[in-house]
Amino acid sequence: MNASEITKKYYRADKLPHIWCPGCGHGTLLNTVVRAIDKLGLNKDDVCIVSGIGCSSRASGYLDFNTLHTTHGRALAFATGIKHANPKLHVIVITGDGDASAIGGNHLIHAARRNIDITTICFNNNIYGMTGGQYSPTTPIGDFATTAPYGNIDKPFDLCNLAQGAGASYVGRGTAYHAQLMQKLIENGIQNKGFSFVEGLSLCPTYYGRKNKKGSAVKMHTFLKDHCVDKKIVDKKPEMAENKIIIGELYNNQKPEYTDNYKVIIDKFHNY
Amino acid sequence: MSNKEYKLLQGNEACVEGAIAAGMRFFAGYPITPSTEIAELSAQKLPKYGGKFIQMEDELSSMAAIIGASLTGIKSMTATSGPGFSLMQENLGYACITEVPCVVANVQRGGPSTGLPTSPAQGDVMQAKWGTHGDHPVIALTPNSVQETYEITITAFNLAEKYRTPVILLMDETVGHMREKLILKDPSEIKVINRKKPTCKPEDYVAYRADEDLIPPMASFGEGYRYHVTGLTHDETGFPTNNNEISGKLIERLNNKVEKNIGEMSYYEEYELEDAEIVIVAFGGVSRSAKSAIDEMRRNGKKVGLFRPITIWPILEKQINKISEKSKEIYVAEMNLGQYFLEVDRIAGKKCPVNKICKVTGELITPNEIINAIYGGK
Amino acid sequence: MFQRIEMRLSGSGGQGVILAAIIFADAAIEYGLNAIQTQSYGPEARGGASKSEVIISKDEIKYPKVINCNILLALTQKSYDKYVATLDKNGILVVDKSVNVNEDVSYKVYKIPIIETAKNKIGTHMVANIVSVGALYALLEDGVIDMKAIKKSISERVPPGTIDKNISAFEEGIKLIKG
């Protein structure tokens, strides 16, 4: 399907153009979500997109599925209710670094712990963009933000490690530059029966880029291109990991899934 | 189930019986005294009815999960007490603006903060109305017995479904934990209301276009009506808007759908009120103390009666007004420092003196305390 | 003729006085009376002072708590000290043998080996609450609750597998009063 067919089929064209700034990585990442859904041939009526609050979370409004734009940090809690109540729905959460790991960090680790069949896609731009450039739990040490005028002293999260440690059964990292990889990771995540976490490294030329003198959006994309290395390569040549961000499929391990486990209880006790 | 079936149950347990009878098939919650029995019995019973229970990581997520479940067409509820109710306020507001039916039981305990976890209080009267930010509709119901908890829980679900808004069951520890006889109703005797669904084709569905009754039909996720739900102020399509006029109209409609239908949700009891010169206003556990006090005072010839609001919100302005015209004096007895009193005094205060009988020790107000307050006033 | 009785059952948390009160309330409604059972306890599940109340009445019960305590059970010194002052002057006090009581009083005092009976006759102090139920039952006016109703209530409320043991405990409790 070409771009205009994709747009016609999956986007709410009357809600475009989107609110994202020129050069922002979110548009590319959203497109990888849509293309993954298209590739898997999911029925639009069975897909539910849930988002929280922030730049990333505006994504839900642009897509022609069952869409739920929730409160800050709580997307996964709403999504858990939806999936548990109706396991037939494909529930996909689109969230951001602050939404998923600061205000929503507790919901992230518990959704991962339950291994409930939800695919979480985190657009990580290392900053709070919607509120104008405050540091987030993924802002690197030493970087600047409006609330870190003297440099950030908070140690950042590795979101993929966090999700894996908490119990996710599928974890991957792509970027706004590595769009094909990102799409493949999302496809795998949706197909995984369990909690999947796919981090998409995005970029914010408006706030993070400007505050930290990262140059143009093109330059920031080039940075992603030059500083990421696929886990498959690192597995063969560990020295390639030096000073690099590791992308690709990071963890894939089938485990019992929450709604399946609950179905066992219902099948055993349902008698009214 | 025969209509003569009865059990000795706690108020909290009766709440679950009522909820299931009303069609509740999803419960998300977090343990907190004195409401925990509602979660425990839901966990035990729901799978038997093909329903779902989940213990969430906190009350924020419990409230979120029941909204998510309700959007798939499943009747859902949560239960909590003061500290958890505070955490639920965020998504309670979300349920109000997105018009998602659900029921929240708050079994009140002493506060503020951790307060008195195992003791009764009624300190959340105003929080139930104003706890979440912004102007929003609230329906809050307060039972005073195990039987009424069962019945009013069914009503709570019916109102939530009919008006597409969260309904709060404002219980207190006294009623939640007391055990009394509950007579279960035969399903044929129970009136169950389900939310209005769209009858149009999916392509013609405008998710937040209200009918004349101010309530938009609600499609479930997964039924083919793909629509958008947001906590942002939205237009009738459900998408965010910054249009001032549309924003104002939305908030007015949300409030009007409750306020204009107040007659449909005005539940109250009048006890010995016909010739009463002195009227006690009390609700929940305290109303039972008031009845005992009234019996005692009536034996001594004092013309005292009770007005017991079951509907706490919206405020029963018409009924309180009527009382103020007939009575010489009103006493509001409640386990807080005078929250419902503020409303009664606002409505009745210009026509007759309104006094308060308050107690925040973590104990139920006794009949004697009410009697002494009234005789002390003479 | 019986119209109304108010009982307060107290002990330390974990002794099962709440269950004992539930059994009376259950039996009373089974027998066609009105009953209400309430309790108060500390935030801890074990060890703190525990109090449970039951009111049984032919009429509707409005105020749900005890006002005129007709019968007080105290299994511990602490609960006796705390609640004895609330007992009606014509009431009945039932205490475990281990409790030191003031005997110069207007109410009737039954100082009986509840915990010892549970341990020695039944083999576990766990059933002291059901021994108490037997003793209190024996002190009720004849016909307030019939024997069938209270035994049914015990059987339904105790853990399955312990029914026989608990029925024996109940009967031992009756013997402590009636001999």
Side-chain angles (χ1 to χ4, degrees), chain C residues 121-139:
Chain C
K121 297 266 170 77
I122 311 298
T124 168
H125 66 92
M126 296 285 287
V127 296
N129 59 338
I130 306 299
V131 175
S132 308
V133 170
L136 296 173
Y137 180 77
L139 289 164

Side-chain angles (χ1 to χ4, degrees), chain C:
Chain C
M1 215 183 88
F2 167 75
Q3 206 58 40
R4 180 183 175 103
I5 188 160
E6 304 188 3
M7 291 197 270
R8 179 171 282 145
L9 282 55
S10 63
S12 92
Q15 279 184 320
V17 296
I18 292 174
L19 179 62
I22 290 171
I23 286 167
F24 275 107
D26 218 3
I29 67 163
E30 171 74 22
Y31 199 48
L33 296 163
N34 293 304
I36 189 159
Q37 182 273 329
T38 61
Q39 60 225 334
S40 73
Y41 50 88
E44 321 81 11
R46 290 286 175 273
S50 177
K51 176 188 79 170
S52 185
E53 297 180 349
V54 59
I55 301 171
I56 299 168
S57 173
K58 285 197 169 162
D59 300 325
E60 186 196 342
I61 302 165
K62 289 161 190 164
Y63 180 65
K65 304 271 181 181
V66 165
I67 296 177
N68 296 310
C69 181
N70 307 114
I71 298 182
L72 172 68
L73 169 76
L75 290 176
T76 61
Q77 189 70 45
K78 211 171 156 184
S79 57
Y80 164 81
D81 293 343
K82 191 166 176 188
Y83 298 114
V84 72
T86 66
L87 181 59
D88 189 273
K89 63 179 175 9
N90 300 315
I92 300 170
L93 172 70
V94 179
V95 292
D96 185 66
K97 206 180 80 178
S98 62
V99 178
N100 296 317
V101 299
N102 179 3
E103 310 241 1
D104 181 20
V105 288
S106 59
Y107 48 79
K108 281 187 208 140
V109 180
Y110 292 86
K111 192 167 165 172
I112 50 175
I114 294 169
I115 296 167
E116 200 179 284
T117 302
K119 261 190 225 161
N120 298 347
K121 297 266 170 77
I122 311 298
T124 168
H125 66 92
M126 296 285 287
V127 296
N129 59 338
I130 306 299
V131 175
S132 308
V133 170
L136 296 173
Y137 180 77
L139 289 164
L140 292 181
E141 284 175 56
D142 282 346
V144 172
I145 300 172
D146 82 348
M147 186 66 92
K148 218 173 97 192
I150 194 121
K151 283 190 172 171
K152 180 168 181 260
S153 169
I154 293 169
S155 308
E156 285 172 0
R157 292 282 177 174
V158 300
T162 68
I163 294 173
D164 291 345
K165 210 179 253 188
N166 278 290
I167 293 292
S168 307
F170 171 72
E171 283 162 353
E172 290 297 332
I174 293 176
K175 279 192 220 159
L176 290 178
I177 300 297
K178 299 212 162 160

Side-chain angles (χ1 to χ4, degrees), chain B residues 304-317:
Chain B
V304 191
L306 170 72
F307 176 72
R308 175 170 75 92
I310 299 168
T311 304
I312 291 288
W313 302 110
I315 191 81
L316 299 175
E317 189 136 3

Side-chain angles (χ1 to χ4, degrees), chain B residues 19 87 118 164 174 194 335:
Chain B
L87 293 181
T118 58
R164 285 192 63 177
T174 308
N194 297 314
M335 288 185 281

Side-chain angles (χ1 to χ4, degrees), chain B residues 11 13 40 48 51 66 68 78 81 86-87 101 111 122 130 137 169 182 201 256 260 273 280 299 310 316 360 362 368:
Chain B
E13 294 167 329
E40 288 173 336
K48 297 181 182 178
I66 67 165
T78 187
S81 187
S86 293
L87 293 181
Q122 296 174 316
W130 299 115
L169 263 178
L182 170 69
K201 283 184 270 174
N256 284 340
K260 295 212 162 159
L273 204 56
I280 301 168
R299 279 194 284 274
I310 299 168
L316 299 175
V360 288
N368 263 341

Side-chain angles (χ1 to χ4, degrees), chain B residues 32-52:
Chain B
I32 183 167
T33 304
S35 78
T36 307
E37 294 84 3
I38 300 176
E40 288 173 336
L41 194 59
S42 295
Q44 191 196 104
K45 294 198 91 150
L46 277 170
K48 297 181 182 178
Y49 291 83
K52 317 280 173 68

